Amino acid sequence: MAIPLKYNVRSLLVRRVSTGMTAGGIALVVAVFVVTMAMVAGLGTMISDTGESDNMIVLRKGATTETYSAINLDQFEAMKFLPQIRRDPAGNPMISPELPVQVLMRRTHGSSDNIVVRGVLPIALEVHSKVHIIAGRMFRPALGEVTVGKGLVGRYADAKVGSTMHFGRGAWKVVGIFSAGGSSFESEVWADIHNVQDDAQRGAYYAAVRLKMAPGADTDALINRIADDPRINLQAETEPEYYKEQAVVARQMNWLGMIVAIVMGIGAVFAAMNTMYAAVSARTSEIGTLRALGFSPGSVLLCFLIESVILATAAGAIGILLAMPINGFSTTFGNFVTFSTMAFNFRVTFAIMLEALVFSALMGVFGGWLPARQAMRMRVVEALRRS
Amino acid sequence: MDVKFAIDLEHVVRIYRRDEFEVRALDDVTIQVPEGRFVAIMGPSGSGKTTMLNLIAGIDHATSGRVSVGGEEITGMKERDLAAWRARHIGLIFQFYNLIPVLTAFENVELPLLLTPLDKAERREHVETALRIVGLADRMDHYPRQLSGGQEQRVAIARALVTDPTIVVADEPTGDLDAKSAEEILNLLTDLNRQFNRTIVMVTHDPRAERFVDTVYRLDKGILVGIEDGKGGPARAESAQAQA
Ligand SMILES: Nc1ncnc2c1ncn2[C@@H]1O[C@H](COP(=O)(O)OP(=O)(O)OP(=O)(O)O)[C@@H](O)[C@H]1O
Ligand SMILES: [Mg+2]
């Protein structure tokens, strides 16, 4: 049987100050880790939630985002009545030509951000079934009206029903607010596509086309048709696939977060190591006594390793609690791919908490290893002479 | 037939090397202690008393010679085996008690039992018995800092007894105690020796100790210079012999 755990726990509590300082350091590192991971998770969720599995996005061949795509009216007309496209109850094909453009918008407090104004037709509400008007109404075409994603409300002074927004060349009247299930659409302004085309003064073209597939439609057949029909000659993919590629930003953030966590973690490991070396040194005669009583070198090693892991894991739990208030906290993030600003919520998931605990336990193992080995290698007689 | 010796040292040498220097802490010591004796190792400071005790307790290794305890030769045992052997056969008492400060009296005494197959209830029974023997049944939940020196040493004695060891070794058990407490501890050790027939080896500076023990081994500069009868029991020293 091993040296009892209460020995470790009480020893940690006795050395209150050094235990507390080390635990504080580890807790902070873990809190930063949790916040970073919660941000990555929120970003990832926001991006992947934007897609709908029965929706397709059509872009110019070779384009990876809407920003670098262009579709002309002939191409759109050739696509419009393909049999794989679903019809609404009125018999209209559920296909939405779209023109997102970047505009600079002043924030409530101070600086300005790039945000996306998406030119659409009213049919867009049917194609994007997660989008719902939650206040006011949808804009009416050709009147310079806009509907605003709820992620912008409060962040920008004019993002409220009845206000007038100024961007591009005109003044735009806000007539409604929409939600979009937490997706990146919520960080956009939706306006009449013809108004947006006029404002941009770049002629009548679309950047992308979204369409909803008919139930049971052959996805591959549709993709091939859109690619191979010489009148269309565009590239189509399902929205989930498209947004998975867009999530590359989240993945890069994930790596960045990991690297930051590891660098800070190394610092915390040294703090833990220092504390454990001090503990081993202060308890040399206890180690000698335990060994003399018959506890094996291995159980002494394990004892101090466990003590270090207890310290680090408890600190990690505190770090998680410290980071917890970030859960659900909403913020904006500059999208490096489209250079627009998107709002999303931090998400502290169960998996993140588990990862944080494993991360802190690992700090305990790495910080405790050398001191524990030193404790194990002490010669009994020498350890006892240090009474 | 052979007499079974509790302790059998043959030509034991222990040399400590520190840098250039060599200290012959024990120099060719041969003794045999029969079972059930209460013996003392005495001598001036630095004469090798602790060294000799540590070799008997299996917490130090002889440079040469043979050490047998309870009929079992422990010279050359590997550290892991030696640790297990100590847990079974040796009860240790130190000058400064060496109780674990964050454990209660009960938990300190229970510690060596964690190395035995006893279950929790059995351990409790053993610990309570041991603490009753040393007269501290009412102090089980006290931490060492809540006890007097004499009480701490009695807890340590309970810890040394609780596994029912082959021999008990004590390094200056009264060295840090006032006269009255020292007397109590010596009486307690004598009782253990008499009532439970436990072999006890005690290192001591204390001249009063001679009254309690059967035999006194005198060391000087690592050499065994004399074996005398103590006043505690009949002369039984004839079975222990020195070979210089
Ligand atoms: N680990 C060690 N390294 C070097 N020298 C040592 C070591 N242990 C003991 N010695 C030396 O061996 C000699 C005997 O030491 P030991 O501790 O056995 O003496 P002692 O009789 O117990 O003395 P005291 O009465 O002061 O406790 C001393 O000279 C001591 O300095
Ligand atoms: Mg000594």
Side-chain angles (χ1 to χ4, degrees):
Chain A
M1 200 161 160
I3 298 162
L5 284 180
K6 59 191 165 204
Y7 170 63
N8 302 110
V9 175
R10 290 182 203 165
S11 298
L12 282 170
L13 292 177
V14 164
R15 300 172 59 79
R16 222 168 276 145
V17 175
S18 79
T19 299
M21 303 241 277
T22 306
I26 293 174
L28 280 181
V29 170
V30 171
V32 169
F33 173 82
V34 170
V35 167
T36 312
M37 290 299 133
M39 180 171 105
V40 170
L43 205 55
T45 307
M46 189 248 327
I47 291 171
S48 59
D49 276 1
T50 304
E52 292 175 38
S53 60
D54 57 349
N55 275 13
M56 255 188 198
I57 178 167
V58 184
L59 301 173
R60 190 181 66 195
K61 276 189 175 164
T64 51
T65 70
E66 293 177 304
T67 321
Y68 303 110
S69 172
I71 295 172
N72 65 40
L73 295 184
D74 295 336
Q75 287 172 306
F76 176 69
E77 290 302 325
M79 232 184 329
K80 194 168 174 182
F81 294 106
L82 291 176
Q84 291 92 342
I85 299 174
R86 192 159 150 187
R87 303 294 180 104
D88 70 7
N92 300 312
M94 295 169 78
I95 182 165
S96 164
E98 300 183 0
L99 180 58
V101 296
Q102 308 269 337
V103 303
L104 210 59
M105 194 165 298
R106 209 167 45 78
R107 300 191 62 157
T108 308
H109 307 287
S111 63
S112 306
D113 298 327
N114 268 319
I115 66 157
V116 171
V117 172
R118 182 176 296 271
V120 293
L121 297 174
I123 190 81
L125 275 187
E126 292 179 56
V127 175
H128 298 286
S129 36
K130 286 182 190 168
V131 174
H132 300 286
I133 303 292
I134 55 172
R137 57 175 172 80
M138 185 65 168
F139 65 81
R140 277 194 298 255
L143 295 175
E145 293 179 350
V146 294
T147 314
V148 173
K150 73 169 187 165
L152 303 182
V153 176
R155 218 175 283 285
Y156 301 93
D158 298 325
K160 53 178 185 278
V161 177
S163 282
T164 301
M165 286 182 153
H166 296 272
F167 57 78
R169 290 176 178 77
W172 308 75
K173 195 165 172 6
V174 179
V175 297
I177 309 290
F178 65 86
S179 69
S183 72
S184 59
F185 290 130
E186 288 185 354
S187 304
E188 297 182 352
V189 172
W190 283 14
D192 174 40
I193 195 165
H194 299 111
N195 286 157
V196 173
Q197 285 170 344
D198 291 346
D199 193 76
Q201 292 185 340
R202 280 168 55 194
Y205 81 103
Y206 308 133
V209 168
R210 310 279 185 141
L211 59 85
K212 194 170 274 305
M213 286 180 285
D218 184 339
T219 312
D220 290 335
L222 182 56
I223 291 172
N224 290 337
R225 176 71 188 273
I226 289 172
D228 299 341
D229 187 324
R231 293 171 305 147
I232 306 176
N233 192 30
L234 293 170
Q235 128 198 335
E237 60 185 326
T238 63
E239 280 189 349
E241 261 166 55
Y242 173 75
Y243 285 109
K244 210 158 75 194
E245 288 158 23
Q246 302 297 300
V248 65
V249 188
R251 282 197 296 276
Q252 284 164 350
M253 289 294 300
N254 193 9
W255 282 113
L256 201 69
M258 287 291 205
I259 289 166
V260 169
I262 286 169
V263 170
M264 289 181 65
I266 289 171
V269 162
F270 279 106
M273 198 181 292
N274 198 41
T275 300
M276 291 311 296
Y277 267 127
V280 167
S281 165
R283 274 144 66 193
T284 299
S285 82
E286 290 176 36
I287 294 165
T289 305
L290 289 167
R291 289 289 313 282
L293 291 179
F295 286 96
S296 65
S299 62
V300 168
L301 175 89
L302 200 65
C303 171
F304 280 90
L305 210 50
I306 286 173
E307 186 164 319
S308 177
V309 170
I310 290 174
L311 168 64
T313 314
I318 293 169
I320 292 172
L321 289 179
L322 283 179
M324 223 43 219
I326 202 76
N327 193 24
F329 180 77
S330 165
T331 190
T332 58
F333 171 75
N335 185 330
F336 298 146
V337 176
T338 60
F339 300 104
S340 61
T341 304
M342 302 184 297
F344 67 95
N345 294 330
F346 282 82
R347 291 184 60 233
V348 182
T349 62
F350 185 69
I352 290 174
M353 291 190 236
L354 216 61
E355 280 172 38
L357 282 180
V358 170
F359 177 49
S360 39
L362 279 179
M363 284 192 267
V365 170
F366 287 123
W369 177 253
L370 290 177
R373 212 178 53 160
Q374 188 188 61
M376 173 182 85
R377 290 187 172 173
M378 267 176 201
R379 301 202 40 240
V380 185
V381 177
E382 243 108 90
L384 285 173
R385 279 165 69 90
R386 298 245 320 253
S387 292
Chain B
M1 282 310 299
D2 279 357
V3 189
K4 194 181 170 203
F5 295 116
I7 298 160
D8 188 353
L9 306 186
E10 284 183 27
H11 303 291
V12 171
V13 177
R14 179 61 168 110
I15 298 170
Y16 288 114
R17 286 195 182 81
R18 190 166 280 174
D19 307 322
E20 318 280 278
F21 299 100
E22 223 180 51
V23 181
R24 291 179 88 83
L26 265 196
D27 198 353
D28 197 21
V29 169
T30 298
I31 63 162
Q32 279 140 0
V33 180
E35 277 181 1
R37 295 292 168 89
F38 184 10
V39 304
I41 304 171
M42 300 186 81
S45 184
S47 57
K49 306 183 293 294
T50 297
T51 302
M52 183 163 155
L53 200 70
N54 288 343
L55 289 170
I56 294 168
I59 55 182
D60 194 9
H61 297 268
T63 308
S64 66
R66 275 189 44 218
V67 178
S68 298
V69 175
E72 195 169 355
E73 182 167 348
I74 60 168
T75 18
M77 263 195 202
K78 280 209 285 295
E79 182 46 43
R80 259 194 74 89
D81 302 330
L82 204 52
W85 175 86
R86 282 197 298 271
R88 255 182 301 124
H89 295 290
I90 303 295
L92 280 165
I93 300 167
F94 305 90
Q95 176 174 358
F96 300 108
Y97 333 127
N98 287 33
L99 298 177
I100 304 293
V102 297
L103 299 181
T104 63
F106 182 95
E107 290 161 347
N108 264 289
V109 177
E110 189 187 24
L111 213 43
L113 291 180
L114 297 176
L115 295 162
T116 67
L118 296 183
D119 67 27
K120 203 176 158 75
E122 292 168 321
R123 290 202 302 267
R124 168 159 284 276
E125 207 182 298
H126 279 67
V127 172
E128 285 174 355
T129 307
L131 281 170
R132 209 175 307 121
I133 290 171
V134 300
L136 284 177
D138 57 338
R139 292 283 194 281
M140 286 202 285
D141 297 324
H142 285 53
Y143 286 90
R145 71 186 133 74
Q146 299 168 321
L147 299 170
S148 72
Q151 288 171 329
E152 278 196 76
Q153 193 60 298
R154 283 192 276 159
V155 173
I157 291 171
R159 179 178 67 184
L161 292 178
V162 75
T163 51
D164 201 12
T166 311
I167 65 169
V168 171
V169 303
D171 196 349
E172 305 195 31
T174 60
D176 206 43
L177 296 176
D178 59 62
K180 184 168 165 291
S181 304
E183 187 91 12
E184 280 169 17
I185 295 297
L186 288 171
N187 277 320
L188 181 56
L189 290 174
T190 308
D191 286 351
L192 292 177
N193 172 249
R194 299 267 163 78
Q195 288 179 24
F196 301 95
N197 202 33
R198 193 69 56 223
T199 308
I200 302 176
V201 187
M202 170 174 71
V203 164
T204 185
H205 273 309
D206 191 344
R208 283 169 302 195
E210 284 178 65
R211 284 194 283 116
F212 294 86
V213 299
D214 302 317
T215 313
V216 175
Y217 296 91
R218 272 195 204 284
L219 287 177
D220 192 17
K221 299 195 182 76
I223 296 168
L224 185 63
V225 291
I227 302 176
E228 302 154 16
D229 289 353
K231 301 177 184 80
R236 291 187 284 190
E238 67 279 3
S239 54
Q241 40 191 281
Q243 295 176 11

